[in-house]
Amino acid sequence: MAIRAARPSELTRLEQIERAADELLVERFGAKEWPPPATAAERAALPGFILVIEFADTARPVVGFVHVLEINGHAHLEQLSVLPDHGRKGYGRMLVTAAKHEARRRGYRAITLRTYRDVPWNAPFYASCGFRVSTPSTPFLSGLVDVEARLGLERYGRRVHMTAEL
């Protein structure tokens, strides 16, 4: 098992992983509609870095990823997804840890994210990774709240902003 930078050729696979992981939320909320994952082209166009976790001995070696946006001097954990059949094995935690290390290596002092407050594998999980509930403090971060409102994410549960010091 290794964590490494994603290759451009893997971006379509990441879309599949996110779609599979999102099914857990769709089921939990009984959602009839759910925002689609970022396409490979959309994800490639976003600034930042993507790390994947892979297993060399399987037919589909990449089983999860983390995407950190780098915008206006901020590191923001935009997406963490692990295939459900590889869930609850510590891979998400490994990806978060690796993302925090990479963000620190790139000179950031903190990393932020937005997530569901009451979903066990969301805010409680991130709290166990060192994130604390905080308030969006920049126009970019406040803009994320507006995007979530347009997508109607609050209809499924309360969203929170979280920050981890690096």
Side-chain angles (χ1 to χ4, degrees):
M1 185 262 312
I3 294 177
R4 60 165 175 77
R7 298 179 186 115
S9 62
E10 295 169 326
L11 296 180
T12 299
R13 174 74 174 143
L14 304 188
E15 183 179 346
Q16 296 165 353
I17 291 169
E18 184 177 350
R19 187 178 313 282
D22 281 353
E23 280 301 313
L24 295 175
L25 290 170
V26 169
E27 290 173 17
R28 179 180 182 86
F29 297 134
K32 302 229 185 296
E33 296 178 16
W34 194 259
T39 66
E42 290 167 337
R43 197 163 297 286
L46 294 170
F49 61 91
I50 304 170
L51 303 174
V52 298
I53 189 164
E54 76 171 346
F55 293 84
D57 61 344
T58 64
R60 299 197 113 181
V62 175
V63 300
F65 74 97
V66 62
H67 187 175
V68 176
L69 299 176
E70 295 177 287
I71 297 179
N72 298 331
H74 298 282
H76 182 79
L77 195 158
E78 188 274 332
Q79 185 65 40
L80 171 68
S81 293
V82 175
L83 287 172
D85 59 343
H86 286 79
R88 306 207 42 92
K89 297 177 182 171
Y91 304 140
R93 184 173 307 279
M94 288 178 208
L95 285 163
V96 170
T97 299
K100 289 168 66 177
H101 286 300
E102 180 62 16
R104 183 179 9 214
R105 189 189 72 73
R106 291 175 180 231
Y108 296 101
R109 298 172 71 129
I111 186 169
T112 59
L113 61 82
R114 293 197 49 80
T115 195
Y116 283 103
R117 185 190 75 176
D118 299 317
V119 175
W121 64 89
N122 279 198
F125 164 75
Y126 289 115
S128 75
C129 292
F131 285 83
R132 300 293 169 250
V133 173
S134 58
T135 302
S137 58
T138 69
F140 165 68
L141 297 174
S142 296
L144 294 176
V145 176
D146 297 336
V147 169
E148 290 178 358
R150 282 195 306 275
L151 292 172
L153 297 183
E154 284 274 341
R155 70 181 161 220
Y156 301 117
R158 221 168 106 202
R159 303 281 294 171
V160 294
H161 185 82
M162 300 181 85
T163 301
E165 300 301 320
L166 302 175

